[in-house]
């Protein structure tokens, strides 16, 4: 299909470079430099989407980032499908494939449009009112149906194959917006030698100079000046120029988030380019030159394809060389639409009429339009648009009523005035102020080191804009510490200027329910909806916004907020500033998840920690589990074994002969210094001063509130040196807790804390044969029970390398934990394993470790405790130094509720049927026959099959648990109630004789 | 992201390197075991949670790892100053809004 709406001699694109593309499977051609929007318009295509709620046919409203209607899916391949792309910002490349959205079966015939017929039912607040009854229908019927019908595009169903990069940057002056104002500010700042970053969301700099045909700067056409100015900036070493880069969020202390679209415009991006790049910029000064966005007129059926902003039509003509129609009407309350009519007329397009809501406007553009022979009507309104899939006429009436006249048109250009883009300023926590004369919110009180220039500051006229921006750029550089330089301010030879306009609904917006005069196109909010919201009691603009959803779509109300506010204010009978503006929030335009996530996905999402002994466990066929960031050997299945068979075998083998276990992940902290024992006294409940060097003690750490925070075995290596172990998951927070007290509460103590978790690899050797396995490899340590009793530690050598050898047990068997420097961990494991195999030892994993410790009633902090368990609750009163006058938690532990009767206490639970294994987390009740909801008196914390006991075993926290020993309690489950007997927590070797066995 | 001046490193570093540690200048009694329930409640549970100036503890977790104190305005989220742990609560605040 030939591009029939491309006007010869108009626009700036080089006709030579043709790009083929498809839209809804139909092939078209465009020109390199087109957006998808301009290329479709060149082919006469206006209908590109269906609206969100009513499925109304929609075309292009704008030529930029504010576009609410023209959302399409861009598909590169099966995995690269991007929904909700604004066709007005998607650059065309050869082979681009686009699909329309929110329609079935086709764009021109959409079944969903029946909702438009039912629209009297679908008014503001409809969800809140309609789906109230019956209650169960919400979950089963309404919500699934609404969810299926809602939303615009369809999310891709495959992982994103693209990669995204991220950079941090620092600069003296960050200029956001690359129109005339931004370029002038950047030039002024750059001339001082300041480090400058200039960013603009478009492919080419120039902003409104894309369409302002009347602008001339430094003797050139405005757009040409912008290109040469940016070329100059690019050539400067102190300037970074970022096109296709949107500043989406303005955060504290001049920290600005920008997304650079690196390759979305390329036909073959290749693998070496990221799709997008996230810039996190910290700027000494920020210059906001974000421009202004034109508003539409609010009248009946103002959403018909072919009705668009006047500036958009001008952009399509003056930049892309595309006419948006052949016979256009203009509806305005502002001068800027006249310039569009004049440009189109000069390009040979018929302008059927200009309808101006104002009574007697005067000015050069009005005179020029008349001189060109364009019919100009003052004091009149367009009360409705004709046509459905494309506008076909506009019906005009004097604004105070009277005879109607219908004028055939194929496009309507509209302008209600310009809204300064104060989004980023507002995000910076600046307060906007309302200018009643110009009906604009402009920057008022600044909260950060930034300045607004040009249209976003409410400055009218190119000359005034450049003056203001150039001065602001120079000042920003100076304030950032640069020396003033003598530069050359761009000279404006000719410019365009307009202001004023109107806010709110025009006469054609109607008041009855059948008229659809859209305020927010993307969320299908009409003027009537906003009035209705006020009538139904919404007073705050924030409530009106949420009730109607005005401004809550992905375009964030760039075109609709001011109209919505004005209609609400009018209905409330209050001035606009009293009603107030809703809050602007990041992101300014939608940001992909990919750009935020960057490289932090897959294996790079979170660090993976492996112990030094990991390769040994791998060789033994371990199945690993994730414990925090650690990979831990879970169990070691032999051929044909499942987890149960493997764990049963491992548990029995450890108690019969021995087992080797990688305990390296245990947190380890060395507490060193003359006051080390004093510090330990304060941080743990136990007494430490009298612990002899060479001995160990099981320590409990509390928080100040008296609840158990961590536990572990502590060995005293020397009077001034403790080797503290913590739980695997607790290591970092225990270190933080210790440092906190040492630095802030007990700074008088002369102690040094060092994390040594990763420095020592730990091989636990547990079982009756453990000493026989270790002894042949050890030098310099007497391994006899007399010299190395249970709970002692010695330093010596094993396999010729240094070791801290602990005699300790988390299995209840005679046991050792061999600490060696991490680099030797794998070799020592192999040596121990070779010895172990001579004795029939097994390798065992975390699952067997859990079962073995539960058989002995040893708790795991975080599993059998939950942050509300005291030492007494856990049956660990013996570990609290009774004579101590201070330790962290001593006072909290004595709080009335923590010593009250009836607290949950840790007990053992034996199921009546020994074969039944309880579920961890299951609730426990005293009477299973009581009415639901039952009174729950506790829950199961640990539960396993114990092959050594020949039955299931469990631990649980039960109210008044220890006094219930021998009682029968009940665990109600979905398929029946399980009877359990309350027991002590030790299920195996109650006397603890095997520790020396 | 905030920039926070570590009084030990003597430079501004990004918030990512720091961790908040709650309100500052809440001293743990040397005789904590003998405290009344009311006094312990005040010490352990009650926090000022002001709208405006707050004195709080931070730790330069991924830097020098030191705990220090900061004065921050909870309305503007601005740091007015930071100072070393153990130093007295500052009387004069630079650039305080109230």
């Amino acid at each position: 299909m030939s591009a029939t709406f491309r006007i010869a001699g108009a626009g700036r694109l080089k006709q030579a470079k043709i790009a083929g593309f498809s839209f809804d499977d139909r092939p078209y051609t465009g020109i390199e430099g087109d957006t998808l929007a301009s290329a479709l318009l060149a082919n006469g295509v206006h209908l590109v989407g269906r609206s969100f709620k009513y499925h109304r046919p929609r075309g292009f409203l704008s030529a930029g980032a504010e576009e609410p209607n023209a959302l399409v899916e861009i598909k590169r391949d099966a995995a690269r499908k991007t929904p909700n792309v604004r066709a007005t910002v998607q650059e065309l490349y050869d082979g681009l494939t686009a699909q329309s959205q929110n329609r079935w079966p086709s764009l021109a015939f959409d079944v969903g449009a029946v909702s438009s017929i039912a629209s009297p039912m679908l008014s503001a607040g409809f969800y809140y009112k309609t789906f109230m009854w019956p209650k169960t229908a919400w979950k089963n019927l309404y919500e699934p149906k609404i969810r299926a019908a809602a939303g615009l595009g369809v999310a891709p169903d495959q992982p994103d194959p693209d990669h995204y990069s991220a950079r941090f940057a620092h600069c003296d002056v960050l200029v956001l917006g690359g129109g005339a104002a931004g370029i002038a500010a950047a030039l002024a700042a750059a001339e001082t030698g300041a480090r400058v970053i200039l960013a603009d969301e478009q492919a080419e700099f120039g902003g409104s100079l894309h369409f302002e045909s009347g602008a001339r700067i430094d003797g050139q056409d405005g757009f040409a000046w912008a290109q040469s100015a940016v070329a100059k900036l690019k050539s400067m070493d102190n300037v970074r120029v970022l096109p296709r880069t949107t500043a989406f969020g303005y955060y504290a202390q001049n920290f600005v988030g920008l997304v650079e679209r690196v390759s979305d415009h390329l036909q073959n991006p290749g693998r070496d380019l990221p799709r997008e790049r996230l810039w996190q910029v910290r700027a000494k000064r920020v210059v906001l030159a974000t421009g202004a966005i034109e508003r539409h007129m609010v009248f009946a059926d103002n959403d018909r394809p072919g009705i668009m902003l006047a500036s958009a039509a001008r952009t399509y003509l003056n930049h892309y060389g595309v006419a948006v129609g052949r016979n256009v009407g203009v509806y305005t309350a502002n001068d800027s639409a006249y310039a569009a009519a004049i440009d189109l007329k000069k390009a040979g397009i018929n302008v059927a009429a200009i309808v101006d809501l104002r009574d007697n406007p005067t000015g050069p553009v009005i005179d020029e339009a008349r001189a060109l022979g364009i019919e100009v009507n003052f004091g009149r309104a367009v009360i409705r648009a004709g046509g459905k899939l494309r506008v076909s006429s506009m019906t005009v009436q004097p604004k105070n009523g009277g005879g109607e006249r219908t004028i055939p048109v194929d496009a309507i250009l509209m302008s209600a005035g310009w809204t300064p883009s104060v989004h980023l300023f507002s995000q910076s926590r600046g307060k906007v102020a309302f200018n009643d004369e110009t009906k604009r919110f402009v920057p008022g009180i600044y909260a950060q080191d930034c300045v607004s220039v040009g249209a976003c500051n409410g400055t009218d006229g190119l000359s005034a804009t450049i003056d203001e921006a150039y001065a602001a750029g120079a000042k920003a550089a100076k304030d950032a510490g640069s020396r003033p330089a003598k530069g050359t301010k761009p000279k404006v030879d000719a410019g365009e200027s307009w202001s004023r306009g109107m806010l709110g609904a025009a006469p054609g917006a109607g008041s009855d329910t059948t008229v659809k005069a859209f305020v927010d196109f993307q969320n299908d909010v009409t003027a009537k909806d906003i009035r209705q919201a006020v009538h139904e009691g919404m007073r705050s603009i924030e409530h009106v916004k949420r009730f109607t959803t005005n401004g809550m779509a992905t375009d964030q109300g760039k075109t609709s907020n001011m109209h919505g506010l004005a209609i609400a204010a009018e209905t409330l009978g209050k001035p606009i500033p009293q009603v107030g503006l809703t809050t602007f929030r990041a992101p300014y335009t939608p940001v992909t998840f990919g750009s935020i996530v960057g490289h932090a996905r897959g294996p790079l999402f979170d660090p993976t920690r492996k112990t030094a002994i990991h390769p040994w466990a791998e060789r033994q066929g371990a199945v690993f589990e994730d414990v925090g960031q650690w990979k831990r050997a879970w169990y070691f299945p032999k051929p044909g074994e499942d987890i149960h068979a493997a764990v049963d075998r491992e548990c029995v083998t450890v108690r019969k002969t021995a087992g080797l276990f990688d305990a390296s992940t245990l947190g380890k902290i060395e507490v060193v210094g003359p006051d080390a024992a004093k510090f330990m006294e304060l941080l743990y409940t136990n007494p430490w001063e009298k612990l002899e060097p060479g001995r160990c003690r099981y320590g409990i750490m509390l928080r100040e509130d008296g609840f158990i925070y961590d536990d572990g075995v502590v060995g005293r290596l020397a009077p001034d040196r403790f080797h503290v172990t913590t739980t695997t998951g607790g290591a970092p927070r225990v270190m933080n807790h210790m440092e906190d007290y040492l630095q802030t509460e007990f700074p008088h103590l002369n102690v040094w804390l060092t994390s040594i978790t990763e420095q020592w690899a730990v091989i636990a050797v547990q079982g009756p044969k453990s000493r026989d396995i270790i002894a042949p490899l050890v030098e310099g340590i007497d391994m006899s029970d007399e010299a190395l009793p249970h709970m002692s530690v010695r330093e010596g050598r094993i396999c010729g390398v240094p070791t801290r050898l602990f005699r300790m047990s988390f299995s209840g068997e005679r046991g050792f934990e061999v600490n060696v420097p991490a680099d030797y961990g794998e070799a020592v494991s192999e040596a121990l394993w070779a010895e172990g195999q001579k004795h029939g030892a097994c390798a065992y994993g975390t699952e067997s470790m859990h079962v073995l410790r539960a058989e002995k009633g040893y708790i795991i902090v975080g599993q059998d405790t939950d942050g509300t368990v005291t030492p007494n609750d856990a049956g660990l009163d013996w570990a609290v130094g009774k004579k101590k006058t201070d330790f962290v938690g001593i006072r909290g532990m004595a709080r009335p509720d923590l010593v009250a009767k009836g607290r949950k206490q840790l007990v053992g639970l034996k199921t009546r049927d020994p074969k039944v294994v309880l579920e961890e987390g299951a609730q426990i009740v005293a009477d299973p026959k009581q009415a639901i909801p039952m009174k729950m008196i506790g829950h199961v914390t640990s539960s396993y099959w114990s092959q050594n006991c020949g039955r299931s075993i469990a631990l649980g926290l039960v109210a008044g648990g220890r006094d219930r020993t021998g009682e029968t309690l009940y665990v109600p489950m979905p398929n029946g109630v399980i009877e359990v007997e309350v027991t002590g927590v030790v299920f195996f070797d109650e006397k603890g004789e095997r520790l020396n066995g | 992201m905030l920039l926070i001046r570590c009084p030990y490193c003597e430079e501004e570093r990004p918030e990512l390197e720091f961790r908040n540690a709650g309100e500052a200048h809440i001293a743990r009694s040397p005789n904590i075991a003998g405290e009344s329930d009311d006094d312990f409640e005040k010490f352990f549970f009650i926090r000022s949670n002001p709208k405006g100036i707050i004195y709080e503890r931070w730790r330069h977790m991924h830097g020098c790892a030191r705990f220090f104190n900061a004065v921050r305005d909870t309305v503007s989220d601005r740091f007015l100053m930071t100072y070393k742990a153990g130093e007295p609560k500052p009387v004069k605040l630079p650039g305080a809004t109230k």
Side-chain angles (χ1 to χ4, degrees):
Chain A
M1 185 185 262
S2 65
T4 51
F5 287 83
R6 193 83 65 177
I7 307 294
R12 304 188 179 96
L13 308 189
K14 292 182 184 68
Q15 298 279 341
K17 295 203 170 177
I18 300 296
F21 68 103
S22 78
F23 177 64
D24 280 353
D25 304 323
R26 281 189 69 175
Y28 297 96
T29 55
I31 301 174
E32 205 164 275
D34 262 328
T35 61
L36 177 59
S38 68
L40 283 168
L41 286 168
N43 288 281
V45 177
H46 277 258
L47 173 64
V48 284
R50 287 276 174 171
S51 74
F52 177 64
K53 194 157 112 183
Y54 300 129
H55 289 251
R56 304 225 340 164
R58 290 285 165 82
F60 305 98
L61 180 74
S62 74
E66 69 270 34
E67 178 61 36
N69 286 336
L71 304 182
V72 299
E73 179 184 278
I74 303 292
K75 185 177 170 182
R76 281 191 191 266
D77 55 43
R80 289 181 176 82
K81 289 191 292 187
T82 311
N84 300 339
V85 173
R86 288 151 293 155
T88 52
V89 300
Q90 173 64 51
E91 291 173 57
L92 193 68
Y93 53 81
D94 192 43
L96 182 143
T97 306
Q99 293 280 339
S100 59
Q101 305 180 151
N102 207 30
R103 83 290 185 272
W104 184 86
S106 74
L107 192 53
F109 178 75
D110 173 21
V111 169
V114 291
S115 64
S116 199
I117 299 163
S119 66
M121 267 177 57
L122 299 176
S123 61
F126 133 91
Y127 292 105
Y128 307 120
K129 291 183 285 201
T130 312
F131 300 111
M132 297 296 288
W133 187 92
K135 222 173 169 180
T136 52
W138 176 257
K139 197 173 148 199
N140 301 323
L141 176 67
Y142 299 141
E143 191 181 1
K145 290 286 172 201
I146 291 168
R147 286 203 183 280
L152 289 161
V154 178
D157 52 9
Q158 292 185 27
D160 187 345
D162 289 319
H163 66 105
Y164 298 79
S165 71
R167 287 194 61 174
F168 287 89
H170 296 260
C171 65
D172 295 316
V173 181
L174 172 64
V175 182
L176 301 174
I183 293 170
L187 283 171
E191 280 160 357
T192 69
R195 289 177 304 158
V196 175
I197 296 177
L198 170 66
D200 189 85
E201 62 188 356
Q202 293 193 272
E204 289 170 298
F205 284 78
S208 65
L209 298 172
H210 276 85
F211 63 82
E212 282 185 19
S213 50
R216 289 192 72 77
I217 305 168
D218 287 345
Q220 299 180 77
D221 156 65
F223 186 81
W225 167 82
Q227 306 320 303
S228 51
V230 168
K232 181 183 167 194
L233 286 166
K234 274 184 187 161
S235 72
M236 298 169 80
D237 290 338
N238 56 325
V239 181
R240 184 188 292 281
V241 174
L242 296 173
R244 300 187 180 92
T245 304
T246 302
F248 63 83
Y250 196 135
Y251 305 97
Q253 290 172 291
N254 275 358
F255 188 68
V256 180
L258 304 96
V259 166
E260 179 186 2
R261 287 168 296 280
V262 180
S263 60
D264 269 355
H265 63 291
L266 300 177
Q267 182 185 358
N268 294 309
R271 291 297 301 159
D272 55 337
L273 278 184
R275 181 175 170 220
E276 294 179 337
R277 183 176 290 126
L278 176 70
W279 288 86
Q280 296 175 78
V281 180
R282 181 80 68 173
K284 287 185 186 159
R285 292 292 181 278
V286 173
V287 177
L288 296 169
T290 48
I293 292 170
E294 199 170 22
R295 291 185 302 277
H296 58 282
M297 297 293 286
V298 180
F299 62 99
D301 299 326
N302 60 344
D303 64 327
R304 293 307 184 200
I307 305 180
M308 67 173 68
L309 299 174
S311 60
R314 258 188 117 188
T315 303
Y316 291 122
L317 179 71
N318 294 340
H319 189 75
Y320 299 103
V322 172
V324 299
R326 299 196 193 289
N327 180 36
V328 305
V330 176
Y331 182 25
T332 187
N334 178 41
D335 280 359
S336 61
Y338 283 82
I342 290 164
D343 285 350
L344 281 159
K345 181 79 180 172
K346 284 181 177 167
I349 304 302
N350 187 49
V351 178
I354 294 175
V355 180
D356 196 326
L357 199 59
R358 298 173 297 181
D359 285 323
N360 279 303
T362 55
V365 284
I366 294 163
D367 297 341
E368 190 181 352
R370 284 208 160 117
L372 285 167
I374 300 171
E375 178 192 327
V376 180
N377 303 283
F378 293 145
R380 282 178 165 70
V382 172
I383 57 164
R384 106 185 129 252
K388 193 163 176 235
L389 299 180
R390 174 78 184 265
V391 63
S392 61
S393 67
M394 60 181 189
T395 301
V396 182
Q397 190 183 38
K399 69 179 181 188
N400 299 320
E404 295 181 6
R405 174 186 158 212
T406 296
I407 305 170
V409 292
D410 62 0
I412 300 175
L413 318 183
M414 53 186 172
S415 178
W418 293 76
T419 307
S421 292
V422 294
H423 307 73
L424 291 172
F425 168 78
S426 185
Q427 284 183 29
S428 81
R429 294 189 167 202
K431 295 265 179 288
V432 293
F434 190 69
N435 182 324
D436 200 47
E437 193 190 339
T438 56
K439 304 284 178 214
R440 300 190 286 216
F441 280 102
V442 292
I445 300 163
Y446 283 85
Q448 298 203 35
D449 290 329
C450 66
V451 60
S452 298
V453 295
C456 72
N457 195 36
T459 303
D460 297 311
L462 187 58
S463 200
T465 288
I466 291 213
D467 286 352
E468 176 180 74
Y470 193 81
K475 181 172 188 302
K478 180 168 173 276
D479 292 347
S482 297
R483 287 211 193 124
K486 208 170 156 24
T488 322
K489 186 169 75 176
K491 185 172 168 292
V492 176
D493 307 313
E496 298 183 4
S497 178
W498 52 77
S499 59
R500 312 294 171 96
M502 68 162 312
L503 293 173
S511 54
D512 72 277
T513 54
T514 55
V515 166
K516 286 207 168 46
F518 287 94
V519 175
D520 182 327
F521 293 99
Q522 201 171 90
N523 266 354
D524 272 350
V525 180
T526 65
K528 187 217 88 186
D529 289 330
I530 291 171
R531 294 191 186 110
Q532 185 192 333
V534 173
H535 291 145
E536 293 194 8
M538 308 301 140
R539 291 291 174 271
S540 154
I541 192 66
E542 296 285 357
H543 291 160
V544 171
K545 166 181 161 176
R546 281 156 184 79
F547 195 66
T548 61
T549 72
N550 191 59
M552 289 172 71
T554 63
D555 68 334
Q556 293 211 31
K558 290 185 178 61
T559 49
S560 65
N561 277 344
M562 289 306 293
H563 281 323
L565 171 58
I567 296 167
E570 189 191 0
T571 316
L572 283 162
K574 283 185 182 172
I576 284 172
Q578 274 187 34
V579 179
L581 201 55
T582 54
T583 311
F584 292 95
R585 294 180 209 281
Y588 174 71
T589 49
V591 173
T592 61
F593 285 112
S595 63
I596 301 295
V597 170
H599 294 296
R601 61 181 196 170
L604 298 179
F605 176 67
D606 202 24
T608 299
R609 300 175 79 186
K610 291 180 182 171
T611 72
I613 303 168
H614 190 91
W616 168 79
E618 270 183 333
R619 284 193 289 275
Q620 306 319 317
V623 174
F624 292 90
E625 68 167 339
D626 291 335
V627 179
Q629 293 171 334
W630 288 106
K631 296 279 175 202
R632 297 200 72 182
W634 189 15
Y635 60 99
F636 293 81
K638 299 230 182 230
E641 280 184 341
D642 63 2
I643 180 169
H644 301 293
V647 168
D648 288 351
R649 174 183 49 77
E650 290 171 16
C651 289
V652 168
T653 309
V654 170
R655 296 214 186 281
K656 208 170 113 198
T657 53
L660 267 67
F661 173 74
D662 180 0
S664 303
T665 65
L666 278 187
K668 295 176 276 295
I669 298 167
E670 207 163 276
V671 178
V672 183
D675 297 322
K678 275 187 193 145
F679 180 73
M680 290 298 293
E681 289 274 339
L682 286 163
L683 267 290
Y684 282 83
T685 61
N686 321 60
W688 299 97
E689 296 272 20
K690 288 183 182 159
L691 183 71
E692 285 172 32
R695 296 308 304 262
C696 303
R697 183 161 281 168
Y698 169 72
I700 298 179
M701 172 179 273
L702 306 183
R703 295 184 309 205
E704 204 69 87
D705 58 10
F707 295 126
I708 296 174
Y709 190 54
D710 201 72
D711 69 349
V713 169
V714 178
R716 190 170 196 174
L717 299 170
D720 62 351
R721 184 176 296 257
F722 290 84
H723 179 114
V724 176
T725 66
T726 75
T727 56
T728 292
R733 62 179 159 80
V734 168
M735 184 73 185
N736 187 65
H737 179 83
M738 285 183 168
E739 280 287 352
D740 192 348
Y741 278 95
L742 179 60
Q743 290 184 31
T744 68
E745 295 294 351
F746 314 129
H748 55 282
L749 297 181
N750 192 355
V751 175
W752 195 259
L753 303 171
T754 309
S755 166
I756 52 168
T757 304
E758 312 229 332
Q759 277 62 38
W760 292 95
V762 186
I763 308 121
V765 185
Q766 303 274 310
K769 301 283 185 193
S770 54
R771 181 167 55 187
D772 301 339
I773 292 168
I774 296 168
L777 305 174
V778 171
E779 298 162 53
I781 300 172
D782 182 346
M783 299 282 289
S784 69
D785 282 347
E786 296 70 39
L788 188 64
H790 178 58
M791 293 303 262
S792 53
V793 59
R794 294 291 178 274
E795 291 178 275
R797 298 181 85 79
I798 186 165
C799 305
V801 304
T803 182
R804 288 180 179 176
L805 180 65
F806 284 74
R807 167 99 190 262
M808 57 183 279
S809 178
F810 199 44
S811 63
E813 300 297 321
R814 170 188 295 275
F816 298 87
E817 291 196 357
V818 181
N819 286 249
V820 291
D823 285 350
Y824 303 120
E826 191 182 346
V828 174
S829 311
E830 286 293 356
L832 286 166
W833 179 234
E835 285 298 321
Q837 282 176 302
K838 294 179 192 166
H839 297 275
C842 70
Y844 70 102
T846 50
E847 189 64 25
S848 293
M849 179 269 282
H850 278 118
V851 177
L852 292 164
R853 65 88 201 177
E855 288 172 351
K856 291 297 300 173
Y858 300 150
I859 66 162
I860 289 185
V861 170
Q863 176 165 349
D864 300 299
T865 70
D866 61 3
T868 66
V869 175
T870 66
N872 183 279
D873 296 341
L876 298 171
D877 250 355
W878 58 267
V880 178
K882 300 292 176 296
K883 291 180 190 158
K884 291 174 71 171
T885 55
D886 196 4
F887 58 82
V888 174
I890 191 169
R891 181 61 188 85
M893 213 171 71
R895 287 184 288 151
D897 282 349
L898 273 67
V899 295
K901 278 201 183 318
R903 286 185 59 79
K904 285 188 184 176
Q905 295 170 326
L906 193 74
V907 293
L909 299 168
K910 280 185 180 171
T911 50
R912 209 47 91 191
D913 177 350
K915 294 217 163 358
V916 173
V917 181
L918 294 167
E919 259 184 52
E920 289 175 356
Q923 296 294 317
I924 299 165
V925 302
D927 171 14
K929 297 203 169 69
Q930 61 187 305
I932 293 171
M934 296 189 186
K935 182 177 166 53
M936 295 170 282
I937 60 169
H939 64 277
V940 179
T941 59
S942 293
S943 174
Y944 310 94
W945 171 259
S946 163
Q947 188 70 13
N948 285 315
C949 299
R951 58 158 302 127
S952 73
I953 57 167
L955 299 171
L957 286 164
V958 176
R962 289 197 288 271
D963 287 342
R964 293 179 188 266
T965 305
E967 273 183 35
T968 298
L969 297 176
Y970 302 88
V971 178
M973 297 298 289
N975 18 343
V977 174
I978 302 167
E979 261 183 69
V980 297
E981 185 198 336
V982 179
T983 68
V985 295
V986 184
F987 299 93
F988 189 85
D989 181 29
E990 212 159 327
K991 291 185 182 158
E993 290 161 343
R994 300 181 64 89
L995 287 168
N996 294 307
Chain B
M1 186 163 45
L2 299 170
L3 283 178
I4 301 173
R5 183 183 168 79
C6 172
Y8 295 98
C9 299
E10 299 185 333
E11 62 176 337
E12 287 195 320
R13 306 293 303 166
E15 191 182 344
L16 284 175
E17 295 183 8
F18 297 86
R19 189 176 292 173
N20 184 285
E23 194 165 344
H25 299 293
I26 297 170
R28 185 180 187 273
S29 166
N31 179 30
I32 195 165
E35 270 194 332
S36 69
D37 282 346
D38 284 350
D39 285 345
F40 183 73
E41 182 196 34
K42 277 189 202 111
F43 159 72
F44 189 71
F45 292 104
I46 308 300
R47 294 294 179 267
S48 61
N49 192 25
K51 180 178 181 177
I53 302 299
I54 188 168
Y55 296 80
E56 60 190 2
R57 306 182 329 126
W58 285 78
R59 186 179 183 199
H60 195 184
M61 194 72 194
H62 305 292
C64 66
R66 301 293 295 269
F67 283 84
F68 60 90
N69 292 332
V71 190
R72 186 172 59 95
D73 186 332
T74 60
V75 177
S76 64
D77 208 17
R78 255 173 215 272
F79 278 79
L80 303 179
M81 63 180 295
T82 56
Y83 52 102
K84 292 176 180 174
E87 287 180 5
K89 202 168 179 170
V91 187
K92 271 191 175 174
L93 298 178
T97 50
K98 47 182 107 165

